[in-house]
Amino acid sequence: GENVEQHPSTLSVQEGDSAVIKCTYSDSASNYFPWYKQELGKRPQLIIDIRSNVGEKKDQRIAVTLNKTAKHFSLHITETQPEDSAVYFCAASLSGGYNKLIFGAGTRLAVHP
Amino acid sequence: DTGVSQNPRHKITKRGQNVTFRCDPISEHNRLYWYRQTLGQGPEFLTYFQNEAQLEKSRLLSDRFSAERPKGSFSTLEIQRTEQGDSAMYLCASSLADVGSGSPLHFGNGTRLTVT
């Protein structure tokens, strides 16, 4: 069935290092790929998204890349800070019928001072 | 705050009882979604409304679950005869247009259900 796989499940970095989270999707017609950040006890919040007609998008220290041929996309966080510590979820839209997002299982990022 | 609002924030109930949750989406959003999130997992799609019409239900949603959006504004999610496996965070989200068009989902803070 339709699914989104996300790796790694946990990621620990030192402050100032870069962090990369990768996702693969199964629906070749997916055309929208958002990333959400969820802090403990809080709602998932959109941090960046990309549409299928774009290969890369950047917003300050956060960037997302998309490879449609390989059906994978990645989140890159540079110059990590302790406040980047959270769970990050990737998602992909499904084609056909009515649109919805399918989420990955999440990556718990810990940034150590 | 004009974001998505959910009530109650927490609900503890005994197995076999019925529970109902409410979601108020962002006012101009006519798309409304319910998701369920268990510990260590991503949000899992349950159902979707466009205005008052329920257009899709997940195969995961048993007949004990029902959702309504009677006037195309707020929505309710009811779980009948709750089971311990229903314990989870129930998230509501809304969007201005179809997600496939790049319209993002905005989530509420969720209702955490504990079934004892």
Side-chain angles (χ1 to χ4, degrees), chain A residues 1-2 31-32 36 38 41-46 49 51 89 93-94 97-106 108, chain B residues 1 3-4 9 33 35 37 40-43 45 48 55-56 91 98-109:
Chain A
E2 313 115 346
N31 59 2
Y32 174 62
Y36 285 81
Q38 188 174 30
K42 296 190 176 180
R43 70 182 78 187
Q45 291 199 301
L46 179 73
D49 54 12
R51 297 190 65 185
F89 295 99
S93 65
L94 291 186
Y98 304 100
N99 292 137
K100 62 179 181 278
L101 291 180
I102 300 298
F103 285 81
R108 181 172 298 280
Chain B
D1 184 352
V4 178
R9 290 295 309 275
Y33 306 77
Y35 280 81
Q37 187 176 26
Q41 296 298 316
F45 172 79
Y48 160 61
L55 299 183
E56 188 170 358
L91 291 165
D98 283 338
V99 294
S101 68
S103 183
L105 291 191
H106 297 264
F107 282 93
N109 283 321

Side-chain angles (χ1 to χ4, degrees), chain A residues 8-66:
Chain A
S9 56
T10 59
L11 181 58
S12 182
V13 300
Q14 290 297 125
E15 182 177 0
D17 288 350
S18 295
V20 180
I21 302 170
K22 299 181 179 182
C23 289
T24 59
Y25 59 97
S26 58
D27 184 356
S28 58
S30 292
N31 59 2
Y32 174 62
F33 308 90
W35 286 87
Y36 285 81
K37 175 183 181 182
Q38 188 174 30
E39 297 177 60
L40 192 63
K42 296 190 176 180
R43 70 182 78 187
Q45 291 199 301
L46 179 73
I47 56 171
I48 195 167
D49 54 12
I50 192 168
R51 297 190 65 185
S52 58
N53 56 349
V54 175
E56 183 174 358
K57 184 176 177 181
K58 191 172 181 180
D59 182 4
Q60 298 182 3
R61 297 186 296 109
I62 295 173
V64 57
T65 59
L66 171 64

